[in-house]
Amino acid sequence: MNFKKKSIISCIVGLSLIMGATSVAANQNLDPKKVFQPLGEMPIPADNPQTPEKIELGKLLYFDTRLSGDGTLSCASCHEPTKGWSDARRTFLGFKGHRGARNSPTIINSGYYSLQFWDGRMKTLEQQALGPIQDPGEMNQKLDVLVDSLKAVPAYVERFNTVFGENSINPENIGKAIASFERTIVITDTAFDRYLKGDDKALNDVEKRGMQLFAGKASCISCHNGSSLTDNNFHNIGIKDEDKGRAGFTGNPEDLGKIKTAALRGITHTAPYMHAGSLRTIEDVVEFKNKGGDGHPNTSPLVRPLNLSDKEKGELVAFLKSLGGTLPIVEKPELP
């Protein structure tokens, strides 16, 4: 199915969810098991099965500054474990202090995504892993130089041989190893997830009312739906800035300012929010959504003033915070 067709289908689904949201809002007996889906198992590509040895190799590469052109940056430089696997900056800081235009997206649960990056320009984690390495503004490393650098380290040669076979240090396998490690960075047991599994006390009454608002009056579920609470699609939510969004990749003016819908598990650990880090807190996000955006000319019809009361905004914030879960922490390994 091509992207245009998928977008049309998603829009129809979104509009139907909004129309259904009114009835959900009116229905105080929301059955979350009929509205929300469990996260399920991490999807693993057939050509890149998980193994402990591959995951360990990927972890070494993830933290290794050899992956950058001047030996100062690693994947962890912008995606730090203790900072929500992001960097707590509005926008990323790259090669030689280059200030990027976008926020470093968290890698938490990124293995569930069908497209990677804010504009969706890459389909897989394997492709995504190699993108920042080569980008002049991010890590600025040539892949052939990186391959030669790793081949000069006996411990890496041994590990690649064990995982992929003889003479296997190449860009494809570097991407596969890093992606395998990133698929282990997950948040799956939030208070919300425990509630869906039958623990009625996992959410308090305020959070439950926020969940009803999320699925009803606030219509968050029109985009944050499915098992990962993202439609894996792209919307212009009304942020008025110069970012072309999806259009910068597709060249389609209809995609101007459209950004991939963020998944929500781990949200309490990943501030600031939005593609340019323009909103500092979850409360700021709810306030932005409540007013219907900043007036971007290509704002999605799904975005509109919500007219939430202060009490309702507080309830919605409480529900979103129930999606935080426990931050997975990985210590930097001893590098070869």
Side-chain angles (χ1 to χ4, degrees):
M1 184 183 296
N2 62 39
F3 180 78
K4 185 175 181 181
K5 188 174 181 181
K6 286 169 65 179
S7 297
I8 293 172
I9 292 174
S10 178
C11 189
I12 293 172
V13 171
L15 289 170
S16 66
L17 283 165
I18 281 183
M19 290 188 291
T22 302
S23 61
V24 173
N27 179 12
Q28 298 303 308
N29 298 312
L30 171 69
D31 183 351
K33 292 182 180 179
K34 293 182 179 179
V35 177
F36 299 102
Q37 303 172 29
L39 185 58
E41 296 295 322
M42 172 69 69
I44 306 297
D47 66 346
N48 191 23
Q50 299 281 82
T51 68
E53 297 81 7
K54 190 187 297 179
I55 292 167
E56 185 63 25
L57 173 58
K59 180 166 71 173
L60 291 172
L61 293 168
Y62 184 91
F63 286 95
D64 200 328
T65 57
R66 293 182 180 95
L67 273 64
S68 65
D70 62 358
T72 64
L73 299 171
S74 68
C75 303
S77 297
C78 287
H79 305 279
E80 301 180 45
T82 59
K83 294 181 180 178
W85 296 87
S86 180
D87 59 12
R89 298 185 178 99
R90 287 192 61 172
T91 60
F92 75 85
L93 198 62
F95 189 75
K96 301 291 186 184
H98 171 74
R99 177 67 68 178
R102 290 177 178 168
N103 176 261
S104 297
T106 180
I107 68 165
I108 295 171
N109 290 7
S110 57
Y112 287 96
Y113 301 165
S114 60
L115 293 169
Q116 303 293 328
F117 294 109
W118 287 111
D119 55 14
R121 63 186 182 274
M122 291 185 178
K123 293 182 178 181
T124 68
L125 272 185
E126 286 76 7
Q127 294 172 338
Q128 181 277 329
L130 297 178
I133 295 173
Q134 304 169 79
D135 189 286
E138 295 189 52
M139 299 170 77
N140 195 35
Q141 175 65 290
K142 297 181 184 301
L143 292 180
D144 57 346
V145 173
L146 174 58
V147 167
D148 289 342
S149 176
L150 297 179
K151 284 181 177 179
V153 182
Y156 270 130
V157 173
E158 181 180 353
R159 286 180 178 273
F160 271 89
N161 287 348
T162 298
V163 173
F164 296 108
E166 296 292 320
N167 301 314
S168 58
I169 299 182
N170 59 48
E172 180 182 4
N173 289 336
I174 292 170
K176 284 184 174 182
I178 295 173
S180 292
F181 168 67
E182 291 181 335
R183 288 191 176 95
T184 69
I185 308 305
V186 297
I187 290 179
T188 59
D189 189 28
T190 68
F192 169 69
D193 289 300
R194 295 195 300 275
Y195 181 78
L196 289 185
K197 291 176 182 177
D199 181 0
D200 188 66
K201 295 182 179 179
L203 297 181
N204 61 36
D205 289 343
V206 173
E207 292 164 340
K208 289 174 184 176
R209 290 195 295 271
M211 180 176 63
Q212 291 180 346
L213 289 164
F214 183 96
K217 181 178 178 180
S219 68
C220 309
I221 201 171
S222 62
C223 297
H224 295 281
N225 54 62
S227 59
S228 290
L229 296 176
T230 171
D231 59 3
N232 282 298
N233 210 327
F234 304 84
H235 306 277
N236 186 320
I237 61 170
I239 295 178
K240 205 168 185 180
D241 61 18
E242 300 301 316
D243 196 318
K244 293 182 179 180
R246 179 75 172 164
F249 170 65
T250 65
N252 185 349
E254 294 181 4
D255 290 335
L256 185 63
K258 291 184 178 180
I259 295 293
K260 183 163 69 74
T261 304
L264 297 182
R265 284 177 180 82
I267 189 173
T268 57
H269 308 290
T270 59
Y273 303 102
M274 305 303 179
H275 64 275
S278 54
L279 300 178
R280 188 172 56 87
T281 67
I282 295 175
E283 288 81 358
D284 292 339
V285 172
V286 169
E287 192 61 52
F288 174 83
K289 294 295 184 70
N290 189 51
K291 71 178 183 179
D294 287 335
H296 191 290
N298 198 38
T299 298
S300 168
L302 299 176
V303 177
R304 68 195 192 287
L306 301 176
N307 300 313
L308 299 177
S309 67
D310 288 344
K311 178 176 179 289
E312 288 172 325
K313 285 185 283 187
E315 291 167 345
L316 183 55
V317 167
F319 171 66
L320 291 171
K321 289 183 177 180
S322 80
L323 301 171
T326 302
L327 181 65
I329 298 296
V330 174
E331 297 294 332
K332 180 180 177 179
E334 184 177 346
L335 299 174

